[in-house]
Amino acid sequence: MSRHSVPQLNDKSLLKHDAFVNGEFVEAKSGKTFEVTDPASGKVIGTMPEFDSGDVQNAIAAASEALTSFRKTTGRERSRMLRKWYQLMTDNAEDIAKLITWENGKPLADAKGEVAYAASFYEWFSEEAPRTYGETIPASIAGNRVFTIKEPVGVCGLITPWNFPAAMITRKIGPAIAAGCTLVAKSPGETPFTSLALAELANRAGIPKGVVNFVTAMENTVEVGETLTTSSTIRKVSFTGSTGVGKLLMKQSADTLKKLSFELGGNAPFIVFDDADLESAVNGAIASKFRSSGQTCVCANRIYVQDGIYDEFAKKFTEKVEHFKVGAGYDEGVTHGPLIHDRAVSKVEAHVRDAEKRGGKVTIGGQKMPDLGDNFFQPTVITGMTNEMQIATEETFGPVAGLFKFKNEKDVIELANATEVGLAGYFFSKDLQRVYRVAEALEVGMVGVNTGLISDPAAPFGGVKFSGFGREGSKYGIDEYQITKTITLGGMGQSLQGS
């Protein structure tokens, strides 16, 4: 299929052009819309409502009204809703994948993988919903009995990015619904069609009206975000995005003392020690660095290779990149698609030119691909990287792999930790003692050992330092959407009654 072709959906009713509030697809009160473009062709896919603060307030009001009854549903009831939503996503996986590729640009095979990953969060939290246990606590005061129960935190505001249009939102909605919360989700302006397809499936799954609301905006994104963070009705905000925006949202949330969980920027180190299985390390680095053309928060951004194997690693790594096929996501055999927009391309090019100026050597790639379109950039490998280069301190968020040389374990850990952020880190080694030493020494929230892929609904996802706080997925994910209420019963120590 040509990159200029419109994907043919099996179920055309999944392509929505309106936001979703109180169980209905609605326009903005102002009538304003914004255009969404295909990053491969630059052509307009369609329009979406440009919501303003008033529109968002209506969605918040719908969620607040729905909370009154939804919070009283049983965990088993919510489990069945999520399970049905999961099944509908699985049944419509091909269409959802087509939408992801259309508005995000990633190859169709990657998009299909994302749909399966996204749906798995509904499956996982459908299993967690009936198991939100409290505890019985031995009291310190005679005659008292103490126990705790878990309750939903309330109405939630969810803000997600464009790089995983389905998975970023289901990873937040799943635990919110499981906990008994209602929500207003801000769809990414670049990729709103995927989330609105999920809204249609929510209706079919029997999610009560007002429980799930999707608002859309591009020009008014800041206004929408501020409405969510300053609303006294919203009791919880979950955000995935840049550290800078996360700091702003945190400040805005301070006056209403919301519960927050933020998954923010990364600058992941990927370390290859001399004792590593070289072939596995190369494959792991390829998977970690070039997944979604480098546009993920856990992508390897700094690849450190020990000096004894540096040259051989660089050679094998470059050879792997030579086999990539860049193109539009629907085209046969394409392994890597476009970047999301021209600003992303400009940043990638700036990092490459900076590295070259400071002595780095491009072994493959390094150029735009105007013959394919404005948003395409060659997968790039750069050797001879130094700590003065921009890639050493800034997240590239694109298909550029910079290879740094290091001498010993102590030095590379200092380099790996010399950053404000700490989301993910990776290393390859066969030495069991080193595995423990390095894993414990890395200042990150997640460590991949002898693997370049760490995402799993069963594993807690989140960072430390300026990469944020809170965890998504896993048994801990639902905690972010609950409060623990303590109940103390007095006068319970009487003797048994009788004659």
Side-chain angles (χ1 to χ4, degrees), residues 290-301:
F290 291 106
R291 182 186 180 199
S292 295
S293 295
Q295 299 177 111
T296 85
C297 53
V298 293
C299 273
N301 199 60

Side-chain angles (χ1 to χ4, degrees), residues 452-488:
L453 299 174
I454 57 174
S455 296
D456 183 332
F461 191 102
V464 298
K465 301 198 290 189
F466 281 21
S467 288
F469 42 81
R471 291 297 180 266
E472 295 187 317
S474 80
K475 69 175 185 177
Y476 304 107
I478 197 169
D479 294 344
E480 303 290 340
Y481 297 87
Q482 294 177 316
I483 59 170
T484 300
K485 178 178 283 185
T486 304
I487 300 174
T488 302

Side-chain angles (χ1 to χ4, degrees), residues 15 17 34-38 43-48 102 193:
L15 181 59
H17 293 273
F34 64 92
E35 293 182 342
V36 180
T37 58
D38 174 354
K43 291 190 173 184
V44 174
I45 297 171
T47 62
M48 276 290 180
W102 199 7
F193 289 103

Side-chain angles (χ1 to χ4, degrees), residues 4-67:
H4 297 293
S5 297
V6 175
Q8 296 299 308
L9 301 183
N10 297 317
D11 182 352
K12 293 181 174 57
S13 67
L14 291 177
L15 181 59
K16 300 295 184 183
H17 293 273
D18 293 315
F20 185 70
V21 176
N22 205 26
E24 298 180 351
F25 290 93
V26 298
E27 300 177 348
K29 295 296 185 184
S30 66
K32 292 182 179 179
T33 62
F34 64 92
E35 293 182 342
V36 180
T37 58
D38 174 354
S41 67
K43 291 190 173 184
V44 174
I45 297 171
T47 62
M48 276 290 180
E50 185 69 68
F51 266 36
D52 59 21
S53 180
D55 295 307
V56 178
Q57 291 287 2
N58 290 337
I60 293 172
S64 179
E65 184 177 349
L67 180 67

Side-chain angles (χ1 to χ4, degrees), residues 129-376:
R131 297 177 174 83
T132 55
Y133 301 118
E135 292 184 294
T136 301
I137 300 169
S140 302
I141 300 173
N144 280 2
R145 300 293 181 266
V146 182
F147 64 95
T148 64
I149 59 174
K150 297 286 189 177
E151 293 185 339
V153 68
V155 180
C156 302
L158 314 179
I159 307 174
T160 59
W162 48 261
N163 55 339
F164 287 90
M168 293 296 97
I169 195 66
T170 60
R171 195 160 70 183
K172 299 179 189 298
I173 290 178
I177 297 296
C181 297
T182 60
L183 60 99
V184 178
K186 163 64 173 68
S187 301
E190 298 87 351
T191 58
F193 289 103
T194 300
S195 58
L196 272 301
L198 298 184
E200 169 62 22
L201 297 182
N203 255 352
R204 300 180 192 179
I207 307 295
K209 72 175 186 176
V211 171
V212 175
N213 304 273
F214 287 92
V215 300
T216 58
M218 180 63 85
E219 183 179 335
N220 294 338
T221 292
V222 173
E223 179 182 340
V224 169
E226 188 171 8
T227 303
L228 292 173
T229 53
T230 58
S231 168
S232 58
T233 304
I234 299 282
R235 298 310 313 145
K236 152 84 180 184
V237 169
S238 178
F239 169 70
T240 298
S242 72
T243 296
V245 174
K247 290 179 179 179
L248 176 63
L249 297 177
M250 191 172 181
K251 288 178 182 177
Q252 293 172 350
S253 300
D255 284 346
T256 50
L257 290 175
K258 299 187 193 312
K259 189 169 186 175
L260 303 173
S261 54
F262 287 170
E263 190 259 285
L264 308 177
N267 188 0
F270 190 106
I271 304 167
V272 185
F273 290 101
D274 279 347
D275 66 328
D277 181 307
L278 190 60
E279 201 66 37
S280 295
V282 168
N283 290 333
I286 289 289
S288 178
K289 172 66 256 185
F290 291 106
R291 182 186 180 199
S292 295
S293 295
Q295 299 177 111
T296 85
C297 53
V298 293
C299 273
N301 199 60
R302 300 165 291 155
I303 301 178
Y304 296 104
V305 185
Q306 202 157 11
D307 49 10
I309 59 170
Y310 183 89
D311 291 341
E312 187 178 0
F313 180 93
K315 178 176 178 292
K316 289 180 177 292
F317 189 81
T318 301
E319 288 171 352
K320 290 280 186 182
V321 176
E322 287 174 354
H323 291 96
F324 290 174
K325 180 181 178 182
V326 180
Y330 300 113
D331 291 347
E332 188 70 28
V334 165
T335 58
H336 295 79
L339 300 185
I340 190 65
H341 44 49
D342 57 358
R343 299 189 303 281
V345 175
S346 296
K347 183 177 184 181
V348 168
E349 185 177 36
H351 278 193
V352 173
R353 300 289 87 83
D354 172 76
E356 285 183 317
K357 183 176 70 175
R358 298 176 187 272
K361 179 185 176 183
V362 175
T363 63
I364 189 171
Q367 302 296 328
K368 296 179 181 179
M369 306 177 75
D371 53 320
L372 291 178
D374 292 339
N375 297 329
F376 289 88

Side-chain angles (χ1 to χ4, degrees), residues 7-15 88-102 108 111-112 115 193-194 197 201 204 330:
Q8 296 299 308
L9 301 183
N10 297 317
D11 182 352
K12 293 181 174 57
S13 67
L14 291 177
L15 181 59
L88 286 166
M89 279 193 71
T90 302
D91 294 343
N92 292 275
E94 185 178 347
D95 279 349
I96 299 171
K98 288 176 181 177
L99 289 173
I100 292 172
T101 295
W102 199 7
L108 191 58
K112 289 178 179 178
V115 177
F193 289 103
T194 300
L201 297 182
R204 300 180 192 179
Y330 300 113

